[in-house]
Amino acid sequence: MAKFPFFGGDTSRRIAEADSVAVIGLGRFGSSLALELMSAGTEVLGIDLDEDLVQAMNGQLTQVVRADSTKEEALRQLAIDEFDRVVVAIGDDISASILTCSVLLSMNIPVIWAKVVDDRHGLILDQLGVHHVIYPEKDMGRRVAHLVRGAALDYIEVDSGYALVKAAAPNELLGKRLGDTGLRAAYGVTIAAFKRDAEQWRNADADTMLQAGDTILVVGPTASAESFAQLR
Ligand code: ATP
């Protein structure tokens, strides 16, 4: 327990009322997700079966509890049924992941996110009705492949076939109003934002004039956005 001296349902209930998320499974993925949520100001109840992990996370999350998430009674005691958002970050033990999701679905948790290790695991959670099934390793592998093959500084495929790419501003756009470059017609992409030196990111518009050394955010169909990022 971090901020609250009392352990158990009452504390969890109080957390559930706030902007809060319960994270089940505090391995590398779950703990990094939980810490990121905390740093963004979200209250986090962390749950794990492993006492050492619970001890290690103690003090870093709003509350950390040792419990077996496959047991409905244990989750009810922690008032998990009062949370609007629960993340199941159990990967290796597929049966524990499936059982946990099944219990959460039977509690009618409005939004359940679950990480999976492979397509078979993902298919089962989809069939159960888990709202968001995430494939961290597969997604990261695909993302890094795009970084490795191209000049993109960062890359996110927003949806299949549509991407957001961070890249250096290409020479041919420098010193011209973006509105005069014919960018959309020529490349099928839009420059959404740009960053100059140590300044903050700024939204780009038709009057934006890029300078050498600027970094840009390009959005568009994946192939177009990627080839645009290759321009020098
Ligand atoms: P990562 O790659 O994120 O470290 P992983 O994919 O190897 O994780 P696991 O090690 O299977 O995933 O699970 C992550 C955490 O979930 C572990 O710390 C484990 O103790 C916890 N966990 C597994 N089963 C349960 C359960 N039934 N109840 C609560 N926690 C569980």
Side-chain angles (χ1 to χ4, degrees):
M1 279 164 293
K3 297 177 186 160
F4 302 102
F6 302 110
F7 182 89
D10 287 348
T11 307
S12 318
R13 212 160 276 123
R14 224 178 308 144
I15 300 172
E17 284 164 9
D19 168 26
S20 58
V21 175
V23 178
I24 300 175
L26 299 171
R28 285 164 302 177
F29 178 83
S31 58
S32 113
L33 180 133
L35 291 170
E36 191 67 18
L37 286 168
M38 288 295 290
S39 69
T42 299
E43 304 260 359
V44 178
L45 166 65
I47 298 170
D48 203 290
L49 201 52
D50 183 330
E51 183 62 38
D52 292 341
L53 269 178
V54 169
Q55 290 294 338
M57 293 301 287
N58 196 16
Q60 301 189 69
L61 306 181
T62 312
Q63 190 187 18
V64 193
V65 180
R66 180 179 180 277
D68 181 350
S69 60
T70 62
K71 305 272 192 302
E72 177 165 355
E73 191 46 37
L75 293 187
R76 286 207 186 273
Q77 275 175 13
L78 292 168
I80 293 297
D81 47 332
E82 297 188 20
F83 279 74
D84 291 334
R85 290 170 294 176
V86 179
V87 180
V88 180
I90 302 172
D92 286 352
D93 188 345
I94 295 183
S95 61
S97 159
I98 294 169
L99 284 168
T100 301
C101 288
S102 161
V103 170
L104 294 172
L105 285 162
S106 72
M107 289 174 164
N108 293 317
I109 304 290
V111 182
I112 302 169
W113 293 78
K115 112 172 189 168
V116 296
V117 287
D118 57 29
D119 291 344
R120 192 178 53 117
H121 185 187
L123 178 66
I124 296 169
L125 296 197
D126 271 334
Q127 287 170 338
L128 274 178
V130 171
H131 313 103
H132 300 279
V133 176
I134 38 177
Y135 298 76
E137 267 123 16
K138 192 170 155 187
D139 290 349
M140 185 53 90
R142 289 180 56 186
R143 180 158 169 247
V144 172
H146 288 273
L147 297 179
V148 169
R149 72 182 281 274
L153 303 172
D154 209 345
Y155 169 95
I156 297 170
E157 192 157 36
V158 181
D159 214 336
S160 178
Y162 201 82
L164 190 140
V165 179
K166 180 172 146 190
N171 289 331
E172 67 176 83
L173 298 187
L174 304 183
K176 294 180 198 158
R177 283 179 72 252
L178 283 182
D180 296 335
T181 56
L183 184 69
R184 288 187 186 149
Y187 297 101
V189 299
T190 298
I191 295 183
F194 68 104
K195 187 176 194 304
R196 184 160 296 154
D197 303 323
E199 293 171 14
Q200 297 294 318
W201 281 95
R202 282 186 271 164
N203 291 334
D205 57 29
D207 292 325
T208 300
M209 283 211 227
L210 297 173
Q211 295 178 6
D214 286 355
T215 306
I216 54 174
L217 274 190
V218 184
V219 290
T222 306
S224 311
E226 272 202 298
S227 26
F228 186 78
Q230 313 272 1
L231 296 178
R232 277 288 152 263

